[in-house]
């Protein structure tokens, strides 16, 4: 049984079915991909990992303008496509269809409440069509998203913290129709704000922030950013006309364990989200494939005990563990900086030789590798950053 038909759950179900397992994919909503809780900014690598067509692509994106709190701008990118704005409803729908085509059964409107270890497997309990649902399974992959209720009830621990994300889709004339804009500093304490061009004349404008770092609600922060940010307000046709609203949590930090007897946890529920950007589709899907592979081996061996399934913990920690832990330290470091310190860092990064490194080696899915290259390029001019580190 797979719980949750988001990208991570759909991919786990697809890979299990392709491997010959009998799979039931349970989704609490009556349709897949709704409500949307995402900006839909995905790299080519993420789309490839999702194994989908280009039907979900709204527009290609080539450049980024990163605004320092005081308004200074770091412009990166060129004529190469670096990312896509996608429609998550179409993406998730196609991923669910792919799972079904591979042989998985999809049960919509099935809300799972508990997963309990049972002799040589698990019992998955919930409600379907107003009636109690009880399923015996050899393995359950929990892909329940950021809520993580089942994960915590299994005693696996929770993610370290959850950032608040809020976004509006509004009429907007961007300065660059093929570029995203990011807004650093007090506009969105703890992460950043963004404007991502979507359908013609529209953009997804939002922010993610750490609620504990401000007394003001994320929604009020967003309204203030749209009203007052010098780079944003002049391109907004009408800040009060909203064509779409997104509200959701972004998990950071992984639970202590992501496997137990008969159970593995994937995606947002496992904290598989890049802490430096809040993007979770690529890593969630990548790790879901690892979980499916371990499940298939365990089913083959007839041993789905915690000891065997711990191979999944080891696999994802080996591949993305460092990206996640270093990313979390970076996110915490940047959250502690003042607007003045962020201004200095953006100014240091705007040097042509650094922009060249970013353009040549920038990879949305590997921000830590890029940070390492930038640090070695900056050398002595890292001083403002070091100063910020020492005196924050
Ligand atoms: C504002 C915002 C913007 C974002 N922008 C981006 C972005 O641009 N790029 C990016 O890569 N990531 C982005 N993310 C993160 C991204 O949306 C998630 O990382 C991704 O959706 C996680 O996939 P998932 O399959 O783990 O969980 P989800 O997509 O949340 O899917 C979980 C599914 O499980 C179902 N479910 C939950 N509990 C149960 C239950 N008990 N029984 C049955 N079904 C259940 C839910 O209904 C849901 O369908 C953003 C997040 C937010 C909040």
């Amino acid at each position: 049984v797979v719980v949750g038909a988001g990208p991570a759950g759909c991919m786990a179900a697809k890979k299990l079915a392709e491997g010959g397992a009998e799979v039931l994919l349970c989704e609490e909503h009556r349709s897949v991909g709704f409500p949307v809780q995402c900006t839909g900014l995905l790299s080519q690598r993420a789309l490839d990992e999702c194994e989908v067509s280009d039907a979900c692509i709204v527009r290609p994106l080539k450049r980024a303008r990163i605004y320092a709190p005081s308004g200074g701008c770091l412009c990166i990118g060129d004529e190469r496509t670096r990312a896509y704005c996608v429609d998550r409803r179409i993406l998730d729908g196609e991923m669910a269809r792919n799972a079904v085509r591979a042989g998985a059964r999809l049960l919509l409107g099935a809300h799972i409440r508990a997963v309990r270890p049972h002799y040589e497997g698990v019992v998955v309990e919930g409600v379907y069509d107003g009636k109690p649902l009880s399923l015996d399974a050899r393995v359950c992959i929990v892909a329940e998203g950021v809520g993580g209720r089942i994960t915590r009830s299994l005693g696996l621990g929770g993610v370290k913290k959850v950032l608040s994300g809020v976004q509006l889709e509004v009429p907007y004339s961007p300065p660059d129709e093929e570029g995203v804009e990011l807004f650093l500093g007090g506009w969105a304490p703890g992460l950043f704000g963004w404007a991502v061009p979507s359908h013609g004349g529209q953009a997804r404008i939002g922010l993610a922030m750490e609620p504990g770092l401000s007394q003001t609600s994320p929604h009020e922060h967003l309204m203030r950013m749209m009203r007052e940010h010098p780079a944003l307000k002049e391109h907004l046709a009408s800040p009060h006309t909203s064509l779409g609203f997104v509200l959701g949590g972004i998990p950071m930090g992984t639970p202590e364990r992501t496997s137990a007897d008969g159970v593995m946890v994937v995606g947002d529920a496992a904290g598989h989200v890049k802490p430096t950007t809040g993007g979770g589709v690529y890593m969630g899907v990548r790790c879901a494939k690892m979980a499916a592979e371990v499940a298939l081996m365990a089913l083959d061996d007839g041993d789905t005990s915690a000891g065997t399934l711990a191979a999944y913990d080891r696999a994802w920690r080996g591949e993305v563990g460092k990206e996640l832990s270093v990313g979390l330290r970076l996110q915490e470091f940047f959250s502690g900086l003042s607007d003045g310190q962020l201004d200095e860092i953006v100014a240091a990064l705007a040097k042509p030789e650094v922009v060249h490194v970013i353009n040549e080696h920038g990879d949305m899915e590997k921000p830590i590798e890029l940070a390492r290259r930038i640090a070695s390029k900056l050398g002595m001019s890292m001083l403002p950053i070091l100063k910020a580190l020492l005196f924050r």
Side-chain angles (χ1 to χ4, degrees), residues 11-12 15 21 41 57 66 68 101 113 120 124 140 143 157 180 185 194 207 225 245 273 305 333 392:
M11 184 51 76
K15 291 294 161 192
L41 184 64
I57 293 178
I66 302 171
R101 261 189 219 120
R113 292 201 164 137
E120 289 198 339
V124 179
C140 178
V180 302
W194 61 81
L207 57 82
M225 188 175 90
F245 177 65
V273 171
S305 65
F333 164 64
R392 74 198 167 108

Side-chain angles (χ1 to χ4, degrees), residues 3-9 26-29 37-42 88 110-112 143-145 150 165 246 248-250 267-268 273 278-281:
V3 180
C26 297
E27 167 56 46
E28 65 183 356
H29 291 104
Q37 290 178 316
C38 189
T39 304
L41 184 64
L42 296 192
R88 268 293 298 271
H111 174 70
I112 303 307
E144 60 180 332
I150 299 171
V246 165
I250 300 178
D268 271 20
V273 171
V281 172

Side-chain angles (χ1 to χ4, degrees), residues 215-243:
Q215 309 244 301
T216 311
S217 74
H219 187 258
E220 283 172 69
H221 267 271
L222 178 59
M223 288 299 121
R224 188 170 80 85
M225 188 175 90
M226 289 169 68
R227 259 193 335 263
E228 297 175 20
H229 197 292
L232 254 184
K233 63 180 183 187
E234 63 174 293
H235 298 286
L236 269 170
S238 157
H240 302 295
T241 312
S242 168
L243 307 159

